[in-house]
Amino acid sequence: MMNTGQIRHYGRASCPGLTCVRLAETPVASRNARSVYWPETQLPPAGRLNGRRHCLTARGRVKTVPSDLDANPAAAIELCRAAHARLAARVQYITGEQVRSPSRLPGWTVAHVLTHLARNADGHVRRLEGALRGEDVPRYPGGPAQRSGEIDEGVRRSAVDIVADLNTAQRRLELVWDRSAAAGWPHPELRGDDHWPTSASPVRRLREAEVHHVDLGLGYEPSDWPEDYVAWELPVLLATVPDRVHRTDDVRDLVAWLSGRRAVPAAIELDPW
């Protein structure tokens, strides 16, 4: 067992029950952040591992501290630029047949998903540009009808036009993020129809890009999701579970599994997210 009482502490409140440390660039045992063990006689010096904060459990195991991407828009922008680039590369040479094929979303083709991603980027631009002017502008001023209408209209285009539109929309959003960051993300109180400040736009867009990239069904899978995105998303989604599970047996199975008293439940009925 490690003598955790000698380890430098920081941010314990962000990691309940764990001893938090800054790890060296080169761990003693392994470079895998999920399986590093430090010898009892050698405490880790101050530093970071792979640029991320980590925690040591009572058994000396290193765990990644979830990134607060809501409060760190710069980190979220970096992740989202990479997500945009992966998406653009995936669909760069998509064919007309592929774009008309079914996606993994019921009733939507690949064209629907790509058009939605482009219009979602435009919605973020609309709201952020409004905030830069000091105006409260929703992402979709026309509400759900506007959102659906724009998608239905956009799917009629050719594959080349759909991909070009997506790339243009993503680049336009990244430029508006640069302007918003330079201005200090002004007017956080202007939220349109959303429940999050403008500085949370990058991580909300990151979710759209990562989840819908999987929905395309073109080879990108949840196993490809970046660790930092998953670390942010997990507690967010877990917080929705109590309101989405209604069968008593399902609730019981979840509690038994989460408390280590039962194997992973075979099937849980969840309301749509």
Side-chain angles (χ1 to χ4, degrees):
M1 296 290 291
M2 246 185 122
N3 184 359
T4 56
Q6 299 180 46
I7 299 177
R8 300 175 182 84
H9 289 63
Y10 77 101
R12 179 184 287 272
S14 68
C15 233
L18 300 177
T19 298
C20 299
V21 298
R22 292 185 182 275
L23 298 178
E25 293 296 333
T26 305
V28 173
S30 168
R31 287 186 177 275
N32 184 345
R34 283 175 282 188
S35 61
V36 176
Y37 290 83
W38 294 89
E40 184 175 352
T41 57
Q42 184 173 353
L43 298 177
R48 294 178 75 86
L49 178 62
N50 298 330
R52 298 185 180 92
R53 291 198 312 162
H54 291 73
C55 290
L56 256 65
T57 67
R59 295 183 178 181
R61 185 170 184 176
V62 177
K63 290 189 176 182
T64 302
V65 181
S67 303
D68 186 1
L69 295 177
D70 284 285
N72 190 351
I77 289 173
E78 181 181 353
L79 288 167
C80 206
R81 287 185 192 275
H84 283 170
R86 284 192 296 273
L87 179 60
R90 179 77 56 179
V91 301
Q92 182 178 2
Y93 301 111
I94 197 169
T95 65
E97 181 180 0
Q98 286 176 308
V99 87
R100 305 299 169 201
S101 65
S103 73
R104 290 175 172 174
L105 291 177
W108 270 20
T109 64
V110 170
H112 283 87
V113 178
L114 293 176
T115 302
H116 166 61
L117 282 166
R119 298 292 74 78
N120 173 267
D122 286 347
H124 280 271
V125 168
R126 188 178 293 118
R127 183 182 163 198
L128 292 173
E129 286 187 334
L132 287 170
R133 298 190 303 268
E135 300 173 8
D136 194 4
V137 181
R139 286 185 292 149
Y140 299 101
Q146 175 187 351
R147 176 183 177 276
S148 299
E150 289 178 344
I151 294 172
D152 290 340
E153 181 179 352
V155 298
R156 303 189 186 103
R157 299 168 298 169
S158 69
V160 171
D161 288 343
I162 288 174
V163 170
D165 176 37
L166 174 64
N167 292 337
T168 299
Q170 292 190 149
R171 179 57 181 155
R172 185 162 50 233
L173 175 55
E174 291 172 2
L175 291 173
V176 173
W177 281 337
D178 291 340
R179 291 166 52 203
S180 298
W185 301 96
H187 300 291
E189 76 282 0
L190 301 179
R191 304 200 173 191
D193 294 330
D194 298 315
H195 302 290
W196 35 269
T198 52
S199 58
S201 165
V203 72
R204 293 314 192 277
R205 173 61 185 184
L206 177 64
R207 167 189 282 165
E208 292 286 320
E210 291 295 345
V211 171
H212 287 312
H213 195 164
V214 171
D215 291 336
L216 289 172
L218 297 177
Y220 193 72
E221 302 294 341
S223 57
D224 297 313
W225 283 337
E227 179 183 342
D228 283 340
Y229 163 65
V230 174
W232 172 82
E233 188 72 88
L234 177 61
V236 175
L237 286 181
L238 284 176
T240 72
V241 171
D243 293 331
R244 297 167 60 199
V245 182
H246 304 290
R247 297 194 313 184
T248 301
D249 286 345
D250 285 346
V251 175
R252 185 176 290 109
D253 286 346
L254 278 172
V255 172
W257 170 55
L258 291 171
S259 61
R261 267 58 184 176
R262 185 171 294 178
V264 179
I268 297 292
E269 288 189 7
L270 285 175
D271 284 349
W273 170 40

